[in-house]
Each structure stands twice: as C-alpha cells, then as structure tokens.
C-alpha cells in the first residue's frame, strides 16, 4: 500500500529495530508466497483476503491495511487496469487476468510491506510485457540503493527502463519510509532525476514499489475513494519490496525463499525481447 504523505525527518533504525524489521519482512514475504497456491480462475479476491487475514494472525502479526485510514480489508488486490488499492470482493479471477496482491504485516510494532503481480491462467503478450517490465523495474531500482546514493537515482533507473520498453511510470503513488510507522519519509518516487532527493544512509528502511502502465501514466480514483485505475483502461502491474540501506549496499527485508509458480514464469523474458 502506498499513499502520498508528509511526516517528520527520515528515521535511522537501530540494530535492534532492524532485526525486528527483518522479522516483520520475513513473515510478510511468507504469507505472500503462500498466496501463490490460491491464484487460479474462479477464486475470488475475498478468498485471498480471508487467507491473508488468517495467515497473518496465525503468525502473531496484524494485517496492517485493515482499517488503515478506513481501508476495509486486510490486503489490496488489484486486477488488470487497477493500479493499486483494489478492495477484495466477490469478484472471481478469470483466465488471462493479472493481479497484484499487496501484503503488509505489523509484527512486534514494525511493518513489512511487499507485493507481487501474479498471472492467472494464460496471460496475453501485453500482460507479460507490463508485468515483466514492472518486475525488472523493481530490481533496477533496488540495485541503486547504497550509502551515498540519492532517492532520485532510484526513480531515474526505473523510469529509463520502463520508457525504453514503451511503458509508463505512475507518479501519483510512491514508495515510502517504513518502520513503526506504515508510511513515513522518505517518499520514493519511481520517476525522477539522478542526483536529486535525500542522500541514502545506513539504517534507512523504505519500500520501492513501481507501478508500471502499458499506456498513460495517469490514474483516477473510483467512488470507493481507494481503487486507483488507469485513465485509459489499459493494464498496470506492480512489484514491491521493503529495503534496508546497509553499510555497503542494501538488504531486501521481504525477500522470498523461492520462485512463485504463478508469477516467476518468464525468467528469460528480456533475453528474448
């Protein structure tokens, strides 16, 4: 989940806080990995929500999205043209859909936030393109994270790559600082200029979560005041990790233990395109 916000200065985590962030991130990654087994035509997004809710509680954590600023469910489920903040419902997944599932756990006072876009059944070439560009965009953004780099370097890398493949980058939603607070500074735009923005320091924790559209980068919000969709109705995809700036680079706090059968289907995509 991502919102625009203004809060206090960027927080540097202590070693003890970092360890708790690792625990929260590991648990969120595990829940999201288990969602993989649910992804198939006919499953409703409410069923995904119920699974995430129960699995989160079983871990001793709390689903952070539930009642956050009025959000009514425990997970965001964003299908096809939905960019982010899709609200689970009785809508059934259909063959050819893509769906982003965004999981955030609050555990021992700290948050772990991560998302994946899954393929439902057999995807179209356009669905594969936007999903794989989003996946690689996240990887390239993470690769920029090191002490002394700037926040703008992350967005610059993502924007250049997405544009080179004919896709656009959503501006209205951003990555964010995270810790005891769900959304904090710094704001991490996924479109930017190198050498701009706050300088990265060891102990910072934040999300990178590029939302990549096939068409226009602009979005509109539906009447539920949460669901963001592309203005042109074309597909959107997103991937997200919670990142720690270390002394010599970065650590992915929400790294998954293995590939996902309904997401990691095209490992050689850019070797062939």
């Amino acid at each position: 989940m991502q919102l625009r916000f203004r809060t206090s200065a960027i927080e540097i985590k202590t070693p003890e806080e970092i360890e708790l962030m690792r625990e929260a991130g590991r648990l969120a990654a595990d829940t999201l990995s288990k969602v993989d087994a649910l992804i198939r035509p006919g499953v409703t997004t409410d069923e995904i929500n119920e699974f995430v809710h129960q699995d989160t509680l079983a871990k001793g954590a709390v689903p952070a999205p539930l009642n956050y600023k009025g959000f009514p469910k425990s997970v965001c489920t964003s299908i096809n043209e939905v960019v982010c903040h899709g609200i689970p419902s009785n809508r059934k997944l259909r063959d050819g859909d893509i769906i982003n599932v965004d999981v955030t756990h609050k555990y021992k006072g700290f948050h772990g936030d991560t998302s994946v876009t899954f393929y439902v059944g057999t995807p179209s070439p356009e669905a594969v393109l936007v999903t794989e560009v989003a996946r690689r965009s996240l990887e390239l953004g993470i690769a920029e994270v090191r002490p002394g780099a700037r926040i703008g370097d992350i967005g610059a890398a993502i924007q250049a790559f997405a544009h080179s493949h004919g896709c656009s980058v959503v501006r209205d939603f951003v990555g964010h600082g995270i810790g005891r607070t769900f959304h904090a500074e710094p704001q991490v735009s996924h479109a930017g200029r190198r050498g701009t923005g706050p300088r990265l320091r060891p102990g910072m924790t934040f999300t990178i979560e590029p939302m990549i559209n096939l068409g226009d980068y602009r979005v509109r919000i539906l009447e539920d005041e949460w669901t963001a969709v592309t203005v042109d109705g074309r597909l959107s995809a997103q991937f997200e990790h919670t990142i720690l700036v270390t002394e010599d680079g970065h650590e992915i706090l929400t790294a998954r233990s293995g590939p996902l059968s309904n997401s990691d289907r095209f490992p050689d995509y850019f070797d062939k395109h």
Side-chain angles (χ1 to χ4, degrees):
M1 178 176 283
Q2 58 288 314
L3 300 168
R4 287 213 176 261
F5 50 88
R6 288 291 176 190
T7 61
S8 57
I10 299 171
E11 187 178 66
I12 302 298
K13 306 296 189 298
T14 67
E16 294 76 19
E17 290 172 330
I18 289 170
E19 189 53 42
L20 289 168
M21 289 287 293
R22 286 191 180 104
E23 289 188 57
R26 177 179 56 81
L27 294 178
D30 182 71
T31 295
L32 183 56
S33 293
K34 290 179 179 176
V35 169
D36 185 39
L38 301 179
I39 303 299
R40 62 184 181 277
V43 169
T44 68
T45 51
D46 262 338
E47 289 176 283
I48 295 171
N49 178 77
E50 180 62 19
F51 172 81
V52 169
H53 183 87
Q54 295 301 331
D55 193 68
T56 304
L57 296 181
K59 289 175 163 62
V62 173
L66 183 61
N67 299 320
Y68 181 78
K69 297 184 183 294
F71 190 79
K73 298 286 185 170
S74 296
V75 66
C76 298
T77 52
S78 302
I79 301 173
N80 296 338
E81 76 283 0
V82 179
V83 174
C84 60
H85 302 160
I87 300 173
S89 67
N90 62 359
R91 177 175 176 174
K92 293 181 179 180
L93 300 182
R94 297 179 298 178
D95 185 71
D97 284 344
I98 55 174
I99 177 173
N100 178 269
V101 180
D102 190 342
V103 170
T104 309
H105 285 1
K106 185 175 183 180
Y107 181 73
K108 296 183 179 179
F110 287 83
H111 292 80
D113 190 2
T114 184
S115 83
V116 160
T117 295
F118 295 96
Y119 297 110
V120 183
T122 304
S124 68
E126 283 196 333
V128 177
L129 170 63
V130 72
T131 301
E132 296 309 314
V133 169
R135 186 196 313 276
R136 181 62 62 86
S137 293
L138 174 59
E139 294 169 353
L140 293 172
I142 292 172
E144 296 291 331
V145 177
R146 64 183 69 86
R150 292 190 179 274
I151 288 291
D153 301 345
I154 297 169
I158 290 169
Q159 185 175 18
F161 178 76
H163 286 187
S164 75
H165 287 275
C167 295
S168 65
V169 182
V170 172
R171 272 59 158 188
D172 288 355
F173 301 99
V174 295
H176 51 89
I178 189 169
R180 290 186 185 276
T181 303
F182 196 167
H183 296 91
E185 295 293 345
Q187 297 190 44
V188 183
S189 176
H190 304 110
R193 293 185 294 112
R194 289 193 176 275
T196 64
R199 196 174 294 280
L200 302 184
R201 298 168 54 197
M204 288 183 179
T205 53
F206 50 82
T207 69
I208 304 176
E209 46 188 299
M211 288 141 277
I212 306 299
N213 294 352
L214 269 181
D216 197 306
Y217 70 86
R218 293 173 298 170
V219 306
R220 62 184 180 88
I221 309 300
L222 300 187
E223 291 183 359
D224 60 26
E225 298 183 347
W226 279 104
T227 306
V229 300
T230 57
V231 294
D232 54 12
R234 299 190 71 187
L235 296 174
S236 183
Q238 178 193 13
F239 289 82
E240 174 186 14
H241 275 308
T242 299
I243 307 299
L244 165 69
V245 183
T246 64
E247 294 292 338
D248 57 359
H250 61 263
E251 179 181 341
I252 302 174
L253 298 178
T254 48
R256 295 179 291 278
S257 60
L260 304 177
S261 62
N262 287 301
S263 182
D264 301 303
R265 292 193 193 172
F266 303 96
D268 303 322
Y269 181 80
F270 290 106
D271 295 336
K272 301 174 182 177
H273 296 80

